[in-house]
Amino acid sequence: MPITPLKPALVFAAGVVVATAGLAAANTARDAILKTYEHQAGVASFSAAAGKALFQGHHTGGKAATPSCTTCHTKNPRVMGQTRAGKPIKPMAVSHNPNRFTDPHKVEKWFRRNCHTVLGRACTAKEKGEIITYLSSI
Amino acid sequence: MHAPYPPPMTVFRVWDVPTRAYHWLQAGLVAGALFTGYLAPAWWLGVHVWVGYGLIALIVFRLVWGLVGSHYSRLSSFLYGRRAIVEHMRGLAAGRAAHAVGHTPLGSLMVFALVATIAAICLTGLFVLGGVENQGPLAAFAGFSSGWLARRIHALLSAGLLLLIGLHLLGVFGESWLGREPLVRSMLTGKKPVAADRIAPDLARPRHLAGGLMTAVIVFAAAMTGAYASRFTPSGLIAMPVLKAYQRECSACHEAYHPSLLPRASWARLMAHLDNHFGEDASLDLATTAKIAAYLKNYASQAWDTEAANRLRAVDPAHPGQITASPGWLRIHHRIDPAVFKSKKVRVRSNCQACHRDALSGRFDDQMIAIPKS
């Protein structure tokens, strides 16, 4: 029986379902992380503009080689960045990398490391929430 | 009545086809070996090695042909005593050529010196390949230190071979000029004008089938033995399990450097100061840090006998954790144009993989180097 014409359509439909489910799951996970930071900071929502200022800003408290988030992530979070050791970093903007900020351990690990490296101190829950909100908004 | 006249000259075919083919093939392969050894970049090692295998096969053939070839190709026809050699030298000093039908006494000395030197270069080359590069038939049997010693001898003998080639050419052209003999042409055509009464009375006849078969059998047996020996695990490499935590965590910012590239003390220091890792905080949770530190301690350079482990073993005391600061690293890379390291595809010296395609395996084979064009 010639059932082949059906197959591509089925595969496409299955793909759409899986992708949608994946995106929904990622959004849920990110929302949960933001909720935690909202709770810790005692605020109802975060300002993307404050996150942008923090992400794009020039800082002096941290290590000399890394005065800004943009040192490695570049000024445009929608494109690939590069570590000082030459390795590519996937885009930070959620619109260009939907898996960003969906693993709470990974998010905490990199905020711990990079806030120390760039600012010379830990970030507050408010700052973390603002950065995630900024990078989710572009 | 005809006594005062010189004996009639005849054009005699002194060099048979196999001997001439051997001579020019060997000249070509030696030129190839010298080019790939001295001038070509490191990644031509594979070509260099195959040229060497070719030379070994040629020398096997020449020894066989020295036993069953045509008269003047046989070793017995050019084994001269000390007296003949001294006489030849005295003659040359007085401006007289030797006028031998086959090899002259000094010429035969040169033949033996050249072949012995080429053979010794091939043999030491196999030790370099096995001991230093962990490749080829001796990979499982030669350690780095013997390979490194062989590398010195290989280089010395190669310089000696260049000198011998110079003397060989000087001898050929000198004797051609002195004796008005077309020695180069005779090695091309095989023919040489000689006094008829000097040709050996009972010329040994070439045994082509025996020569071909003996050469084929010896070369085939050697190739099979070499191929079999090449299948053993190289002596410098040990089995190392993959630690997922190491791969995942340590390849986030840079390549997961092979643990053999630094000694234990350096790894211990790096793992104890992850919060300031080359100017960045790379801290990990305690359990992961301990797991990775134990892995690196087990598989640090002390555990390996590879070229990379040996040549990077000594670190820069001021920067014991920086592979690219070690005296060995600097010596190996000192001729690389600094622009290469700044190019788009490399960016930093610590990006080993950019040029060494097998960097993650710790092998760093010469053939696997590919410097990206910027």
Side-chain angles (χ1 to χ4, degrees):
Chain A
M1 296 297 284
I3 54 162
T4 34
L6 256 179
K7 270 190 186 166
L10 272 177
V11 169
F12 180 73
V16 170
V17 169
V18 168
T20 313
L23 274 178
N27 286 332
T28 313
R30 196 175 312 107
D31 288 346
I33 291 170
L34 276 172
K35 271 270 169 315
T36 311
Y37 289 143
E38 279 168 11
H39 182 74
Q40 286 172 7
V43 295
S45 66
F46 294 113
S47 148
K52 181 179 182 179
L54 194 56
F55 186 90
Q56 301 281 355
H58 202 271
H59 308 278
T60 48
K63 307 265 193 277
T66 51
S68 171
C69 305
T70 60
T71 306
C72 297
H73 293 298
T74 77
K75 289 197 160 84
N76 179 2
R78 296 181 197 84
V79 302
M80 301 278 280
Q82 192 174 41
T83 69
R84 285 171 56 233
K87 198 150 171 145
I89 309 172
K90 287 186 186 142
M92 294 309 292
V94 172
S95 58
H96 285 71
N97 185 2
N99 286 327
R100 279 291 174 215
F101 316 114
T102 55
D103 176 350
H105 293 290
K106 200 174 166 187
V107 170
E108 271 299 297
K109 180 174 88 176
W110 287 103
F111 270 131
R112 183 189 72 234
R113 288 175 163 184
N114 293 352
C115 293
H116 183 206
T117 301
V118 175
L119 304 173
R121 60 168 176 82
C123 287
T124 62
K126 182 165 170 281
E127 288 168 327
K128 293 176 197 172
E130 285 166 352
I131 284 181
I132 296 178
T133 304
Y134 162 59
L135 293 170
S136 304
S137 72
I138 52 168
Chain B
M1 183 171 161
H2 44 258
Y5 293 100
M9 296 297 278
T10 176
V11 174
F12 178 64
R13 199 167 149 280
V14 58
W15 307 123
D16 55 33
V17 172
T19 298
R20 280 179 277 149
Y22 156 79
H23 175 272
W24 293 113
L25 272 176
Q26 180 170 259
L29 286 185
V30 165
L34 291 170
F35 169 74
T36 51
Y38 281 118
L39 301 174
W43 47 93
W44 282 56
L45 177 66
V47 180
H48 186 70
V49 167
W50 277 101
V51 167
Y53 289 146
L55 281 167
I56 293 174
L58 272 183
I59 290 174
V60 167
F61 161 76
R62 188 63 189 92
L63 292 177
V64 168
W65 202 239
L67 299 175
V68 301
S70 68
H71 187 87
Y72 289 100
S73 294
R74 296 201 179 188
L75 300 179
S76 56
S77 78
F78 55 94
L79 282 173
Y80 289 94
R82 201 190 318 158
R83 195 185 299 164
I85 294 165
V86 171
E87 206 172 295
H88 184 192
M89 289 170 80
R90 284 217 183 103
L92 283 180
R96 283 196 316 271
H99 284 302
V101 179
H103 291 301
T104 62
L106 277 181
S108 82
L109 272 189
M110 181 53 77
V111 170
F112 288 118
L114 281 168
V115 173
T117 305
I118 294 169
I121 291 174
C122 291
L123 189 72
T124 50
L126 282 175
F127 273 90
V128 181
L129 187 68
V132 176
E133 300 290 334
N134 275 300
Q135 297 180 35
L138 298 184
F141 310 101
F144 179 82
S145 57
S146 58
W148 200 245
L149 177 67
R151 192 177 184 249
R152 281 235 171 108
I153 303 172
H154 192 72
L156 274 176
L157 288 170
S158 302
L161 180 64
L162 276 176
L163 190 73
L164 284 177
I165 291 170
L167 287 174
H168 169 54
L169 295 176
L170 204 70
V172 167
F173 290 112
E175 196 94 24
S176 298
W177 177 73
L178 266 184
R180 295 181 213 304
E181 284 183 306
L183 292 185
V184 176
R185 202 200 306 155
S186 75
M187 192 46 84
L188 284 164
T189 63
K191 290 172 187 149
K192 203 170 165 185
V194 290
D197 68 337
R198 295 187 59 114
I199 298 168
D202 45 350
L203 290 172
R205 293 182 59 78
R207 293 167 59 199
H208 292 100
L209 188 66
L213 276 179
M214 276 164 76
T215 306
V217 166
I218 296 171
V219 169
F220 181 76
M224 287 298 108
T225 310
Y228 177 70
S230 304
R231 289 170 53 197
F232 291 92
T233 310
S235 57
L237 299 159
I238 54 171
M240 181 177 74
V242 171
L243 181 68
K244 285 218 175 96
Y246 180 71
Q247 300 300 327
R248 186 181 60 240
E249 298 299 344
C250 302
S251 73
C253 300
H254 51 65
E255 72 187 56
Y257 296 111
H258 196 266
S260 68
L261 302 186
L262 282 176
R264 282 190 191 114
S266 292
W267 284 128
R269 221 183 136 102
L270 285 176
M271 292 309 290
H273 299 96
L274 280 181
D275 56 334
N276 187 4
H277 187 72
F278 299 96
E280 278 186 48
D281 182 349
S283 58
L284 287 163
D285 62 84
L286 284 176
T288 311
T289 307
K291 208 179 350 173
I292 292 175
Y295 178 72
L296 291 171
K297 188 183 169 203
N298 274 340
Y299 298 105
S301 64
Q302 283 94 334
W304 304 80
D305 193 33
T306 54
E307 181 181 15
N310 277 290
R311 296 183 75 178
L312 302 179
R313 222 180 270 295
V315 296
D316 173 9
H319 306 280
Q322 195 176 338
I323 299 164
T324 55
S326 69
W329 192 96
L330 293 170
R331 205 173 305 125
I332 294 166
H333 298 89
H334 80 280
R335 271 188 302 191
I336 307 286
D337 182 354
V340 167
F341 296 114
K342 290 188 189 121
S343 68
K344 224 176 166 184
K345 289 191 177 123
V346 182
R347 298 296 284 257
V348 280
R349 291 170 165 234
S350 53
N351 190 0
C352 310
Q353 272 188 112
C355 302
H356 296 277
R357 285 175 289 159
D358 61 345
L360 296 186
S361 72
R363 285 195 57 103
F364 290 89
D365 284 341
D366 286 11
Q367 298 100 312
M368 295 299 276
I369 302 172
I371 296 177
K373 287 190 184 80
S374 46

